[in-house]
Amino acid sequence: MTMTDLLELPPAVSVATAARALGIGQDKAHALIKGGAFPARVIPLGATTRVATASLWEVLGVRA
């Protein structure tokens, strides 16, 4: 994922998109979320989980 891609993300992204940005697989991302160790802020929305983009940027050291 390029810097341009990261900066164009919406305010919250899917776990798959966050995992891709972090360079990990979806299974690993879900395991980290389940264990409470995902490095970015997770937003549970019923059966769906989203990741706060600003928090993801912070983890990746992106300055918008």
Side-chain angles (χ1 to χ4, degrees), residues 16-48:
T17 299
R20 188 165 47 103
L22 292 168
I24 62 175
Q26 286 186 51
D27 291 342
K28 178 66 174 180
H30 284 288
L32 289 170
I33 290 168
K34 185 176 180 179
F38 196 75
R41 188 166 66 90
V42 175
I43 305 164
L45 298 169
T48 303

